[in-house]
């Protein structure tokens, strides 16, 4: 029953729309900030500096908006879902490592970012990771079964093999 | 049909990406419309000419370097100054470390009025006037309650008086604040802040090793102990 709903074309549409909303929102806010996501990325302390940091900062919001557009209209759903899954995976690892190393940052997921008050960081990090895991589940659904309702460019694949 | 729309759409987005990447399209960080005349200024001679840091104790015989990055508008920096300012002075008095202050004005990106940059300039003016540290402390002690509100030139000049600048030095100071004589200090230092990928403010490191967040949570004694134990 759950599997039937999960793989239903309309659930696929729902997954697409939810992810499009999330990526679009996240991307647009970052586009409006100087340097894009640069300051937010710096807070993760991954040793990324200089030009690479600047380029990644400008690239991330663009990729997010591009993903949102593709998911919204339903084009290259499989590829979009793959990118969405990978990006969310990177975000989860990013948050987990900064958490494990004892830093207190704003994830900068939807704009902002940087160091913040350490108070309540465990709850914040937990919520952020769980949220990303939920989005990742939707992405995986689309990756494994990119067939969805109202898709501009329907995937020429047969039904998912389970 | 769908494919054609698809190719068109991807082409449109790619075009947008190229324009944005080339800086033709820019959604954020436009110049502040209320204040079009941005001073150029110079990097003051009394700060390090290679990394734009200001060494508080050049006479120190210590070999370890404590580096503190702050933005004048950052509330956590004001909290750090209120809670640990005296600890830093104690470390200097005991000659445990050399202490460098490094300004950044990155918070100006989110608020109008170039307040961080103007405050850093005023701070340089105060260093020239012989009251650098006192001005610095006064500035953070008088941070507005709401982040981004900033200070007027008159307020910054008042902090100079409070820091003890008077007479002809005060006249020079006041002029320096208004004209942005040392405006470039904040600009250059913020460039380095970006290039180094400093994760935020305040950012405290000893010989390049970032201080763990828990140290500040434990209070001034833990802060002094961490610096003392890790200093060379």
């Amino acid at each position: 029953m759950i599997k039937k709903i999960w793989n239903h074309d309309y659930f696929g549409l729902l997954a697409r729309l939810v992810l499009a909303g999330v990526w679009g929102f996240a991307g647009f806010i970052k586009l409006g900030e100087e340097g894009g996501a640069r300051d937010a990325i710096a807070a993760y302390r991954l040793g990324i500096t200089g030009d690479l940091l600047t380029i990644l900062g400008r690239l991330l919001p663009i990729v997010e908006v591009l993903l949102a557009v593709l998911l919204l209209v339903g084009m290259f759903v499989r590829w979009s879902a793959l990118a969405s899954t990978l990006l969310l995976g990177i975000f989860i690892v990013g948050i987990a490592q900064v958490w494990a190393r004892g830093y207190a940052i704003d994830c900068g997921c939807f704009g902002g970012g940087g160091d913040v008050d350490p108070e309540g960081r465990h709850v914040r990090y937990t919520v952020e990771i769980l949220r990303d895991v939920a989005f990742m589940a939707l992405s995986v659904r689309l990756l494994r079964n990119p067939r969805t309702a109202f898709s501009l460019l329907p995937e020429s694949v047969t039904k998912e093999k389970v | 049909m769908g494919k054609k729309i698809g190719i068109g759409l991807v082409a449109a987005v790619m075009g947008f990406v190229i324009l944005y990447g080339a800086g033709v399209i820019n959604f954020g960080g436009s110049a502040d419309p209320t204040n079009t005349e941005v001073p150029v200024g110079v990097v003051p001679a009394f700060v390090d000419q290679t990394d734009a840091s200001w060494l508080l104790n050049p006479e120190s015989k210590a070999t370890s370097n404590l580096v503190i990055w702050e933005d004048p508008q950052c509330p956590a920096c004001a909290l750090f100054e209120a809670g640990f300012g005296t600890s830093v002075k104690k470390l200097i008095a005991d000659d445990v470390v050399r202490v460098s202050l490094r300004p950044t004005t990155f918070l100006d990106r989110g608020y109008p009025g170039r307040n961080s940059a103007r405050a850093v300039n005023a701070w340089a003016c105060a260093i020239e006037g012989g009251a650098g540290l006192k001005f610095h402390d006064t500035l953070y002690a008088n941070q507005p309650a709401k982040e981004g509100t900033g200070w007027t030139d008159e307020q910054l000049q008042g902090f100079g008086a409070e820091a003890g600048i008077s007479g002809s030095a005060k006249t020079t100071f006041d002029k320096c604040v208004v004209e942005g004589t040392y405006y470039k200090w904040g600009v250059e230092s913020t460039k380095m802040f970006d290039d180094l990928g400093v994760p935020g403010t305040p950012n405290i490191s000893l010989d390049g090793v970032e201080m763990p967040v828990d140290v500040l949570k434990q209070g001034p004694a833990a802060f002094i102990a961490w610096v003392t134990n890790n200093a060379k």
Side-chain angles (χ1 to χ4, degrees):
Chain A
M1 176 62 184
I2 289 171
K3 198 165 233 172
K4 208 170 168 190
I5 297 173
W6 183 252
N7 278 311
H8 197 283
D9 284 1
Y10 279 96
F11 187 82
L13 175 65
L14 183 71
R16 257 175 49 207
L17 294 181
V18 168
L19 289 172
V22 169
W23 287 121
F25 182 57
F28 263 111
I29 289 186
K30 294 190 191 98
L31 278 181
E33 297 186 340
E34 189 177 318
R38 183 187 55 208
D39 295 345
I41 295 172
Y44 283 86
R45 296 162 168 82
L46 297 166
I48 303 169
T49 59
D51 289 344
L52 181 62
L53 184 61
T54 305
I55 292 166
L56 285 180
R58 288 181 82 91
L59 206 58
L60 181 62
I62 293 172
V63 170
E64 290 180 339
V65 170
L66 176 64
L67 263 183
V69 171
L70 291 178
L71 286 166
L72 181 69
V73 299
M75 278 176 36
F76 311 117
V77 172
R78 191 189 282 277
W79 287 108
S80 309
L82 177 65
S84 179
T85 308
L86 290 177
L87 264 182
L88 286 163
I90 293 169
F91 292 171
I92 291 168
V93 171
I95 295 169
Q97 62 84 28
V98 89
W99 185 5
R101 287 158 69 202
Y103 296 112
I105 69 164
D106 174 343
C107 75
C109 307
F110 301 96
D115 284 4
V116 290
D117 185 359
E119 205 63 48
R121 69 177 188 272
H122 299 302
V123 174
R124 279 201 313 270
Y125 288 142
T126 308
V127 169
E128 283 158 11
I129 288 180
L130 287 179
R131 185 193 59 200
D132 283 358
V133 167
F135 294 149
M136 204 171 176
L138 294 179
S139 306
V140 170
R141 149 67 174 81
L142 292 174
L143 178 62
R144 294 181 58 190
N145 178 10
R147 247 178 45 138
T148 61
F150 299 107
S151 176
L152 194 61
L153 191 69
E155 296 277 338
S156 57
V157 286
T158 49
K159 236 191 173 148
E160 190 221 0
K161 40 188 185 309
V162 177
Chain B
M1 173 61 189
K3 226 166 201 160
K4 267 190 187 155
I5 299 174
I7 291 163
L9 200 72
V10 170
V13 173
M14 289 310 287
F16 168 79
V17 168
I18 292 163
L19 289 177
Y20 179 79
V24 178
I25 305 174
N26 198 353
F27 294 94
S30 52
D32 177 11
T34 57
N35 227 333
T36 46
E37 262 186 60
V38 180
V40 180
V42 296
V43 176
F46 41 79
V47 305
D48 190 294
Q49 297 299 301
T50 50
D51 70 4
S53 66
W54 183 49
L55 183 60
L56 284 178
N57 49 345
E59 69 288 348
S60 169
K61 289 187 180 67
T63 47
S64 275
N65 293 291
L66 186 72
V67 174
I68 302 170
W69 281 98
E70 290 172 323
D71 184 304
Q73 293 196 89
C74 136
C77 301
L79 285 176
F80 172 75
E81 286 303 329
F84 301 89
T86 46
S87 309
V88 173
K89 289 178 188 74
K90 186 172 179 343
L91 289 168
I92 292 174
D94 296 347
D95 205 18
V96 180
V97 282
R98 295 157 72 84
V99 179
S100 293
L101 298 181
R102 302 189 72 172
T104 170
T105 65
F106 80 120
L107 290 177
D108 278 350
R109 292 168 193 157
Y111 304 106
R114 298 180 287 108
N115 281 290
S116 293
R118 288 172 39 250
V120 169
N121 169 68
W123 179 24
C125 302
I127 298 173
E128 188 183 40
L133 192 53
K134 275 204 178 131
F135 178 90
H136 167 268
D137 294 350
T138 310
L139 179 67
Y140 283 96
N142 288 285
Q143 201 180 60
K146 193 173 171 295
E147 185 178 337
T149 310
W151 308 267
T152 62
D153 282 353
E154 290 71 27
Q155 277 177 300
L156 294 172
Q157 289 168 340
F159 298 158
E162 220 172 299
I165 305 172
S166 60
S168 67
K170 183 65 166 60
T171 314
T172 312
F173 171 80
D174 288 352
K175 195 163 165 258
C176 177
V177 168
V178 175
E179 291 182 353
T181 310
Y182 298 123
Y183 198 84
K184 204 172 181 185
W185 184 26
V187 174
E188 290 300 318
S189 192
T190 303
K191 262 185 213 161
M192 289 183 197
F193 178 83
D194 287 340
D195 282 348
L196 292 167
V198 180
T201 53
N203 187 271
I204 300 142
S205 62
L206 182 68
D207 298 327
V209 178
E210 192 177 351
M211 187 177 67
V213 275
D214 287 341
V215 173
L216 289 189
K217 246 185 142 179
Q218 291 160 25
F223 171 68
I224 289 177
W226 182 80
V227 175
T228 310
N229 295 336
N230 290 292
K232 283 181 281 204

